[in-house]
Amino acid sequence: MPIIVKLPAALRTYTGHKGDMHLEAATVGDIINHLAETWPDLKPHLLDEDGSLRSFVSVFVDGRSIKSTGGLATVISDGQTVTLVPAIAGGGTNS
Amino acid sequence: MTIISSNIRRDLSSDEVTRFSRQLLLEEIGVAGQERLRAARVLIVGVGGLGAPAAIYLAAAGVGTLGLVDADEVEASNLQRQIIYGYKDIDRPKVASAADRLKDLSPDIKVDTWNLRLDSRNAKKIIEGYDVVVDGTDNFPTRYLISDACVLLGKPNVYASILRFEGQVSVFDARNGPCYRCLYPAPPPPGLVPSCGEGGVMGVLPGVLGCIQANEAIKLIVGGAPGLTGRLLLFDAWNMTFNEVALEKDLDCPICGRNPTVTELIDYEDFCGLSEPETKIQSLSPTELKEKLAGGGPLQIIDIREPHERSLFKFEGTKPIPFGQLVRRIEEFDPKTDLVFICKIGLRSAFAIRTLQRAGYQGPMYNLDGGVNAWTRRFNPAMVIY
Ligand SMILES: [Zn+2]
């Protein structure tokens, strides 16, 4: 059973509308790098020029932020769910 | 725990007992909770898709004072989701129209109308007078401003934001949990994400999230309920799923961490990178594009709209490449040909040019100013603009 990766609408624009994916990986960093390489339009939304995670995207493994578990080095195992949550600002205010 | 002080007791009138009987019958609310609601002062920033339903439910529940901050007027396209307004309100200030509706719903309510934009100069003075803030805004600078002001003043911030069919909602209360900066230390740079302005939104979505915001504000006022502090709820209206992730306080957070470096409100336009001059983009007016087409030089028009959007208005003779595929398909562009990028109103196409510039594309690129809407207005004024 691979890792389940969930991408919200804000990021699906850059993956040809693919949302949920099943990937094999050992760390969160592997997942992020794989996504960035597979979808070059997605890369600037995930990684800085120096390869660190952008400050406007949060990553959660089984609902827990990777900030407290080692960041991109966080080790993941099969069956876990990695959820990407980018900052969105919409309020349904303007036309 | 409640955010309302306990020395507010004044007996409920018989009218109030009748009007709020369905709430008084809930033991978690009862008379004490209803009195707290009447004493409560809630500030709603942005009376749009989120703020409109939140305001209606808060007034209906008997919140005594509602502050409304919004600088805009009602537009016809707002009515699809901003259900506090009616057709007769078009062109009126939102805060004035909303106040009328809320007083109709709850005659004793006090509505403060702030017909302005919240900014670093007025935010603390305004927010100070309220017990809780509902963030229904639509842009990053104001979201960071509200979060920071609430941290500095020690107020809870009931937050929600939406995109297409999805939304996120949480309560940021730095006294007991994380703030917005703990979740996102910095916003995306302005050139990266096209603003929501051109995007669609399902009207029910901000309705659901605005109601959740009202629910959380009511619970903070009544007290005693587990809330969304330290929890981010993710709602997907298309797949109809609710997911939840845990938010932790960032001990290094620059405003609510152990050693804060932000101790006053800052310039949020600047923080969000909006004051930096953007690199120049060459643009063409509809007339200039028509002349260029007649000129017969090597030219290719790239329509970066999604297929469903292109079908709303077809622009003949273009190569369609959706915005999100530009870098992946960069090889399809010929640097010896003039590329003209088009979208609905000319904003996303400008983003498209910047995206390709960042990706290292060297050929000449032009933006159709005002997008296909401007083209239609210029050459087919009888056609309906989408
Ligand atoms: Zn914080």
Side-chain angles (χ1 to χ4, degrees):
Chain A
M1 202 173 144
I3 313 275
I4 303 144
V5 181
K6 288 187 172 295
L7 293 184
L11 300 180
R12 290 201 293 269
T13 303
Y14 310 103
T15 62
H17 302 287
K18 260 176 84 108
D20 290 7
M21 304 180 195
H22 293 91
L23 299 173
E24 306 283 345
T27 66
V28 172
D30 293 346
I31 300 260
I32 301 294
N33 288 327
H34 173 82
L35 292 173
E37 275 159 35
T38 313
W39 312 101
D41 293 274
L42 181 62
K43 189 177 178 185
H45 299 266
L46 302 179
L47 295 169
D48 282 343
E49 284 78 6
D50 64 3
S52 53
L53 193 66
R54 290 285 216 174
S55 58
F56 47 84
V57 59
S58 284
V59 182
F60 300 85
V61 177
D62 287 348
R64 186 162 181 217
S65 170
I66 62 165
K67 275 182 194 164
S68 50
T69 56
L72 292 179
T74 301
V75 174
I76 43 178
S77 47
D78 285 358
Q80 287 195 299
T81 301
V82 175
T83 308
L84 276 63
V85 185
I88 53 173
T93 297
N94 289 322
S95 39
Chain B
M1 252 228 343
T2 163
I3 55 172
I4 306 299
S5 69
S6 54
N7 52 356
I8 43 107
R9 301 202 70 106
R10 175 162 61 83
D11 289 343
L12 297 176
S13 69
S14 57
D15 168 59
E16 284 172 312
V17 171
T18 311
R19 208 141 46 89
F20 302 119
S21 68
R22 294 303 180 277
Q23 258 161 240
L24 297 169
L25 287 167
L26 295 168
E27 66 170 323
E28 292 83 353
I29 297 180
V31 172
Q34 196 62 50
E35 286 175 349
R36 284 181 190 136
L37 285 166
R38 185 178 59 192
R41 302 158 302 167
V42 181
L43 183 70
I44 299 175
V45 187
V47 194
L50 294 167
I56 286 181
Y57 274 96
L58 289 168
V63 168
T65 304
L66 277 183
L68 307 176
V69 182
D70 205 306
D72 292 342
E73 278 101 46
V74 179
E75 292 174 31
S77 66
N78 297 156
L79 303 182
Q80 171 249 15
R81 62 202 176 282
Q82 301 177 24
I83 53 162
I84 202 168
Y85 311 116
Y87 213 83
K88 63 175 178 4
D89 296 316
I90 290 170
D91 293 336
R92 283 187 74 199
K94 284 186 172 178
V95 290
S97 315
D100 286 351
R101 174 82 182 97
L102 297 174
K103 285 175 190 158
D104 186 36
L105 201 55
S106 180
D108 306 324
I109 196 173
K110 178 171 176 279
V111 181
D112 309 325
T113 53
W114 303 93
N115 192 10
L116 47 77
R117 270 186 85 88
L118 201 70
D119 63 32
S120 301
R121 286 181 310 277
N122 60 29
K124 275 173 84 175
K125 240 192 339 225
I126 293 174
I127 292 174
E128 218 165 30
Y130 297 87
D131 305 301
V132 51
V133 178
V134 171
D135 177 354
T137 56
D138 62 353
N139 62 84
F140 286 113
T142 316
R143 290 190 180 280
Y144 280 96
L145 166 66
I146 292 171
S147 178
D148 284 3
C150 285
V151 173
L152 295 173
L153 295 167
K155 311 268 183 191
N157 166 20
V158 184
Y159 155 91
S161 63
I162 55 168
L163 185 84
R164 281 176 223 148
F165 283 97
E166 296 176 16
Q168 37 181 258
V169 53
S170 187
V171 172
F172 295 117
D173 186 350
R175 298 164 304 173
N176 312 306
C179 77
Y180 185 56
R181 283 189 193 241
C182 294
L183 172 61
Y184 298 118
L192 193 61
V193 188
S195 80
C196 214
E198 281 188 79
V201 65
M202 163 100 154
V204 178
L205 172 69
V208 172
L209 291 173
C211 285
I212 294 176
Q213 287 179 288
N215 185 61
E216 294 308 300
I218 288 170
K219 281 158 49 190
L220 287 166
I221 293 162
V222 170
L228 279 179
T229 305
R231 301 159 63 191
L232 183 69
L233 191 61
L234 305 169
F235 175 53
D236 180 336
W238 188 256
N239 295 301
M240 196 39 75
T241 57
F242 280 94
N243 280 297
E244 184 180 329
V245 294
L247 302 183
E248 286 163 40
K249 197 179 186 75
D250 179 359
L251 296 175
D252 297 320
C253 174
I255 188 154
C256 83
R258 281 170 303 192
N259 302 302
T261 50
V262 179
T263 54
E264 259 313 315
L265 296 181
I266 56 170
D267 182 333
Y268 292 89
E269 301 280 316
D270 202 40
F271 177 65
C272 295
L274 294 171
S275 18
E276 284 159 38
E278 290 189 315
T279 47
K280 268 256 176 295
I281 284 180
Q282 288 182 286
S283 61
L284 298 174
S285 68
T287 313
E288 285 167 336
L289 176 57
K290 192 148 231 181
E291 285 164 1
K292 214 170 159 58
L293 282 166
L299 174 78
Q300 187 162 50
I301 301 177
I302 312 291
D303 191 337
I304 58 121
R305 297 175 299 161
E306 299 286 328
H308 72 277
E309 202 189 335
R310 287 199 305 271
S311 68
L312 289 171
F313 176 80
K314 292 198 180 66
F315 200 99
E316 297 303 325
T318 66
K319 180 183 175 80
I321 300 187
F323 177 76
Q325 301 178 11
L326 290 164
V327 179
R328 181 157 37 110
R329 296 172 66 178
I330 202 164
E331 301 293 328
E332 295 179 33
F333 302 122
D334 174 8
K336 288 191 281 296
T337 298
D338 285 356
L339 299 181
V340 180
F341 290 82
I342 66 167
C343 68
K344 182 184 177 213
I345 59 170
L347 282 180
R348 270 172 304 167
S349 48
F351 275 98
I353 293 174
R354 294 217 159 82
T355 300
L356 286 169
Q357 282 172 343
R358 262 200 311 274
Y361 183 77
Q362 301 281 347
M365 296 187 281
Y366 298 86
N367 187 38
L368 174 60
D369 241 355
V372 297
N373 279 3
W375 178 274
T376 309
R377 261 186 231 106
R378 175 71 185 79
F379 299 116
N380 305 301
M383 255 184 84
V384 175
I385 291 193
Y386 76 93

